[in-house]
Amino acid sequence: MSVHSTMPPRSSHRIAAAFEQYVSGRRAGAEGTVFFLESAAHLDEVRRIALPGDAVIAPTTIAPDDADDRVTAVAYDGAWREPGDEMTLDGRHTFELQDYLAAPFISIVGLTVVRHGSAAGIAAFFSDADSARSSGAFVDQLLSSAVLLDSRASLAGGAASELTRVHVTAEGEYRDGPDGLLLGRAGDSRADIEAAALTGAGPGRSFARIIGDGDLGSALDARPWFARYVAALELLRQWDRREAPTKISGFGGHLVTALDHDGPAITSADAPFLIADQDGDHVLVERATRRRFRLGLDAARAAECLIATGDEAAASRLLGAEIGRREGEVEGVVREIRARFAVAGIDLASFARSPR
């Protein structure tokens, strides 16, 4: 493996993507696994098992050698173990590490990684999600584009079964993230580490050090909408704060009020979001590409009915009941909205858990 003390400019995106993959647990650019080392003491063991496409982030600068140079290698300065620690990645970007329990009380002044760190931190995250679901109020710090939430893929339903990251502790433990499952120890083979990751696959793998898999599973089962909450955080992080939405449907109520009670729930993290902007208009945001479509209130309600039910007839019944019209009087609106978005490559009826 070849490590260069000065990376060429074209590598900047690859380095950022590797760090994002390490933090989130979601594949974000690195073809292979991202290894993050708390200590350079275990660098030789990691170099031995690193493969082309992997990335290694270590607290040291290593001279180039004659080994495979297709491994992205990044040096950092500083410490990265306890809340308040800071490190500078590749001599360019400085990150601060913070604990989730402290997140609502800190000022975000630069790039910050928020780590759950304990069962209490996980519980606080679920509690904040419940609050956002009922009131529409999100923890403001989590909406900053400078904040990265540790292991969010596991809580958003996007955790990979394969090995996307390995956190190497100062003691030589290999874990799936700092709070994750023990995958092995320095000196273990790559095959053994990958087998452990596959055996322990699931949302709990990233948090096995701090909370039981059953407890985490129960909390997620009680919140089938939780992945959508994490997706909403990600969406709002990328929104221009000067144009911050006043409301995002599904959090603090829906445009279609029946969905607040016994109507079909929108739980898919991939489903479009309906947002009220500061001008009082409604915007449908398509998750995959971030495309935005401005809609009138009735059109926005029709879109939400289609997303929730997955069926034109059911959507027409729901919309009619919402606005006090007969089903036959609103069928045309529902059909028109579905056709309009189909032209844009979006099937609004494809996101329901099952047609209703």
Side-chain angles (χ1 to χ4, degrees):
M1 180 180 72
S2 177
V3 180
H4 303 270
S5 58
T6 302
M7 303 295 289
R10 63 184 175 84
S11 298
S12 180
H13 175 72
R14 185 167 59 177
I15 291 169
F19 188 68
E20 156 73 12
Q21 180 169 316
Y22 158 68
V23 172
S24 70
R26 176 181 62 192
R27 193 164 299 287
E31 298 174 6
T33 300
V34 179
F35 292 85
F36 184 95
L37 284 70
E38 290 183 352
S39 167
H42 307 292
L43 184 59
D44 287 343
E45 289 92 340
V46 171
R47 293 175 72 189
R48 179 177 59 81
I49 61 174
L51 299 174
D54 287 348
V56 177
I57 303 173
T60 186
T61 300
I62 314 160
D65 60 25
D66 295 328
D68 197 328
D69 63 359
R70 289 175 292 172
V71 173
T72 300
V74 188
Y76 73 86
D77 296 317
W80 200 247
R81 298 186 68 178
E82 303 295 335
D85 283 351
E86 290 188 354
M87 73 165 183
T88 300
L89 187 68
D90 195 42
R92 308 180 193 190
H93 305 296
T94 298
F95 292 85
E96 181 179 356
L97 181 63
Q98 282 293 347
D99 178 81
Y100 187 88
L101 290 172
F105 310 104
I106 63 175
S107 297
I108 304 299
V109 296
L111 298 172
T112 304
V113 172
V114 175
R115 183 181 293 174
H116 296 91
S118 65
I122 294 287
F125 190 42
F126 282 124
S127 177
D128 289 338
D130 292 338
S131 178
R133 174 80 168 171
S134 62
S135 71
F138 293 81
V139 175
D140 190 62
Q141 287 81 351
L142 299 183
L143 306 186
S144 170
S145 59
V147 169
L148 294 175
L149 186 63
D150 189 80
S151 301
R152 70 179 183 274
S154 290
L155 297 173
S161 58
E162 75 271 23
L163 195 64
T164 58
R165 63 176 181 173
V166 175
H167 182 94
V168 185
T169 69
E171 295 74 30
E173 295 178 335
Y174 291 168
R175 292 186 175 274
D176 179 11
D179 296 329
L181 180 70
L182 180 64
L183 304 173
R185 291 177 171 78
D188 289 351
S189 71
R190 177 71 173 245
D192 287 342
I193 297 167
E194 291 179 342
L198 188 60
T199 300
R205 194 174 74 187
S206 294
F207 303 103
R209 188 180 65 82
I210 59 176
I211 187 172
D213 192 40
D215 292 337
L216 182 65
S218 295
L220 291 171
D221 289 344
R223 300 168 177 85
W225 45 266
F226 195 80
R228 189 157 176 81
Y229 166 72
V230 179
L233 287 177
E234 188 65 15
L235 174 68
L236 295 174
R237 280 184 65 248
Q238 298 176 11
W239 206 276
D240 188 334
R241 298 303 293 273
R242 295 169 298 181
E243 303 174 358
T246 58
K247 179 177 174 57
I248 180 166
S249 189
F251 297 90
H254 292 79
L255 283 175
V256 178
T257 56
L259 299 177
D260 296 334
H261 309 294
D262 57 356
I266 300 174
T267 61
S268 171
D270 297 322
F273 284 95
L274 284 156
I275 289 174
D277 64 18
Q278 293 179 339
D279 296 325
D281 294 328
H282 295 85
V283 179
L284 183 144
V285 183
E286 194 262 329
R287 281 264 297 138
T289 63
R290 306 294 183 191
R291 287 180 295 170
R292 302 180 187 182
F293 303 85
R294 193 169 295 275
L295 302 171
L297 177 57
D298 285 348
R301 284 171 170 165
E304 186 163 59
C305 289
L306 279 166
I307 294 168
T309 64
D311 178 76
E312 285 187 18
S316 297
R317 289 192 296 273
L318 188 61
L319 179 61
E322 178 70 20
I323 64 177
R325 305 280 292 276
R326 290 192 297 270
E327 178 182 339
E329 294 178 296
V330 299
E331 286 177 344
V333 174
V334 170
R335 190 179 306 113
E336 179 184 349
I337 288 298
R338 186 177 186 184
R340 173 179 168 184
F341 280 96
V343 171
I346 304 169
D347 182 2
L348 294 179
S350 67
F351 300 100
R353 286 180 293 177
S354 60
R356 308 235 179 189

